[in-house]
Amino acid sequence: MAPDGARDLVGPTRLTSEPAADPNAHLFSPRRRTRHLPTAAVVLGAIMISGVAGYVWIASGAGRAPAATPEPGTFVLSSQPPGAQVVVDGVPAGTTPLALRLTPGAHEIVATANGTSERLSAAVTAGESASRHLVLEPLVPSAPVGAVDNGGRNGTAQTSPPGNAGASAVAAVAPPSSGFVTFTAPFDVQIYEGGDLLGTSGERMRVRPGTHTFTLVNDELGFRRDETLVVGAGRSTRRVVEQSSAPLSINALPWAEVVIAGRSFGETPLANISLPIGTYQVTLRHPTLGEREVGVTVRLGRPNRLAVDLRR
């Protein structure tokens, strides 16, 4: 049996006591883990719900940026005679001459005047200009040809007035010795054949029947074109000259908004604006220097430039 002094040092109390507490035991405490698990689950669930909601929002298209509205194009419609009623895609649009601002793509246009209608499909390009000139005048029917005063054996029998039977018979038998041709253009042109001036656009010119090559000229606009037509005896042939376009460049100091025929083309400097050939009034606008109108002619075959100093 150990001495009393030893009993105090190694007695039953020391030998049977529990191990000393681990200083890191609080890190693995079951009670603390139980307290943090619900919070983590809530956070994870919120993240998952947010992700699903964001996917649904994007998939539905709500998260997409709005599509940019395409810039319209300009379609200029003129007619002979003017004042034709115009319907675009089934909707009345006014009377010619008319500058139509249309969305890019194909449009159905119907113009009516003098009981004559013409339907056309206009292909419009964003930011571009196009034009069309229509002839809506009814053609005058030619007199019947080939009626012979032969008792009705070859055509309709003709009755000659008394005292003029011979002349009437000759007139009925003789075929017409000429035809007529008319050129219609959105600008003035002179019509030549073989170097000879026959007339100008809009005129009804008498020519011999057959095939003809006419030269159409407008020196001011740099326009020159050959047109070949077959003219029938006693008939009127009409040809519409299509519009031609050329680029125009505009600059202004210090800068300006450019408006042509009621359409804004943006701010200077502008390069290669496509316009039908012809003369225009260009409006230049500046917030402090005011507004100024300047005339310009757009021609074929040469540079078309306009430069204006608004400070002067």
Side-chain angles (χ1 to χ4, degrees), residues 77-102:
L77 186 66
S78 58
S79 69
Q80 179 64 35
Q85 298 291 330
V86 178
V87 176
V88 180
D89 298 331
V91 179
T95 58
T96 58
L98 194 61
L100 301 168
R101 296 278 285 166
L102 302 175

Side-chain angles (χ1 to χ4, degrees), residues 63-146:
R64 299 173 187 169
T69 303
E71 181 183 1
T74 301
F75 191 83
V76 180
L77 186 66
S78 58
S79 69
Q80 179 64 35
Q85 298 291 330
V86 178
V87 176
V88 180
D89 298 331
V91 179
T95 58
T96 58
L98 194 61
L100 301 168
R101 296 278 285 166
L102 302 175
T103 56
H107 297 270
E108 184 181 75
I109 299 177
V110 179
T112 304
N114 292 335
T116 301
S117 295
E118 184 163 341
R119 185 184 306 270
L120 60 98
S121 179
V124 178
T125 303
E128 298 292 331
S129 298
S131 64
R132 184 74 179 271
H133 185 78
L134 303 177
V135 176
L136 300 171
E137 292 179 339
L139 295 177
V140 178
S142 59
V145 177

Side-chain angles (χ1 to χ4, degrees), residues 64-235:
R64 299 173 187 169
T69 303
E71 181 183 1
T74 301
F75 191 83
V76 180
L77 186 66
S78 58
S79 69
Q80 179 64 35
Q85 298 291 330
V86 178
V87 176
V88 180
D89 298 331
V91 179
T95 58
T96 58
L98 194 61
L100 301 168
R101 296 278 285 166
L102 302 175
T103 56
H107 297 270
E108 184 181 75
I109 299 177
V110 179
T112 304
N114 292 335
T116 301
S117 295
E118 184 163 341
R119 185 184 306 270
L120 60 98
S121 179
V124 178
T125 303
E128 298 292 331
S129 298
S131 64
R132 184 74 179 271
H133 185 78
L134 303 177
V135 176
L136 300 171
E137 292 179 339
L139 295 177
V140 178
S142 59
V145 177
V148 180
D149 186 8
N150 57 5
R153 293 189 301 273
N154 186 19
T156 304
Q158 303 293 318
T159 302
S160 302
N164 197 24
S168 177
V170 171
V173 174
S177 59
S178 61
F180 299 91
V181 63
T182 304
F183 287 94
T184 304
F187 44 83
D188 291 334
V189 295
Q190 292 76 44
I191 295 98
Y192 294 85
E193 185 179 20
D196 296 328
L197 178 62
L198 301 183
T200 59
S201 53
E203 293 183 4
R204 189 168 183 255
M205 298 171 290
R206 182 190 297 269
V207 296
R208 69 183 186 282
T211 302
H212 297 261
T213 298
F214 302 98
T215 301
L216 284 59
V217 178
N218 184 311
D219 289 328
E220 181 183 6
L221 300 179
F223 178 85
R224 188 180 187 89
R225 181 180 299 172
D226 289 337
E227 297 277 356
T228 300
L229 300 178
V230 177
V231 181
R235 296 184 178 276

Side-chain angles (χ1 to χ4, degrees), residues 9 37 40 61-62 87 108 143-144 153 203 237 278 285 288 296 308:
L9 296 175
L37 279 175
V87 176
E108 184 181 75
R153 293 189 301 273
E203 293 183 4
T237 301
R285 295 173 179 167
T288 58
V296 64
V308 179

